[in-house]
Amino acid sequence: MAKFVAKRIEELHSKTQADIAREAGFKNANFITMIKTGSAKLPLDRVQDFAKALDTDPRSLMHLAIEQTYGPKMLAVLVELLGEPLTENERAWIDLVRTASNGTDPFPSTTARKALHVLLDDRA
């Protein structure tokens, strides 16, 4: 968590830590420094606001926050039970499949898999 937050803040040239703290709803910008150094844990209920302030994916940040708070074993249990979080792009693909199939939950046939591989391999 600490390394990710420090790197992300460094990448955000247009925002100060005070800006990020304010956008995330933290009263004190020093709390951002404490998260960056690993001396404070990001409260799980603040992940969404903090992710928005950092302009990053809230699902990935939640993974880091859970690992930071409860450890890698608990994160592994949650991932096993709930699955990996989806990126915004993955969610868009799922929405596309649901719309195209009229919500019928189609099985990914061999033909569909091959077509998808061709489509995605050819996009580069």
Side-chain angles (χ1 to χ4, degrees), residues 27-84:
K27 294 179 183 177
N28 192 333
N30 289 337
F31 190 69
I32 304 299
T33 300
M34 293 169 66
I35 293 172
K36 280 175 41 178
T37 62
S39 62
K41 295 178 181 178
L42 176 62
L44 298 181
D45 64 339
R46 305 307 295 274
V47 167
Q48 283 187 296
D49 292 336
F50 195 50
K52 188 174 181 180
L54 291 177
D55 193 25
T56 194
D57 179 54
R59 292 160 195 86
S60 298
L61 192 61
M62 180 61 86
H63 259 212
L64 293 173
I66 289 170
E67 185 176 37
Q68 178 191 46
T69 301
Y70 299 107
K73 287 183 181 181
M74 178 58 82
L75 177 60
V77 167
L78 291 172
V79 167
E80 183 177 332
L81 293 173
L82 303 174
E84 287 287 339

Side-chain angles (χ1 to χ4, degrees), residues 105-123:
D105 192 27
F107 181 79
S109 68
T110 302
T111 302
R113 289 173 190 260
K114 287 179 182 177
L116 187 59
H117 280 283
V118 169
L119 174 69
L120 294 177
D121 287 343
D122 288 347
R123 67 185 169 100

Side-chain angles (χ1 to χ4, degrees), residues 5 9-10 12-34 36 46 49-50 53-54:
V5 170
I9 290 173
E10 187 178 304
L12 293 172
H13 302 291
S14 62
K15 291 185 181 181
T16 66
Q17 283 189 195
D19 294 333
I20 294 167
R22 186 174 45 260
E23 288 177 27
F26 296 116
K27 294 179 183 177
N28 192 333
N30 289 337
F31 190 69
I32 304 299
T33 300
M34 293 169 66
K36 280 175 41 178
R46 305 307 295 274
D49 292 336
F50 195 50
L54 291 177

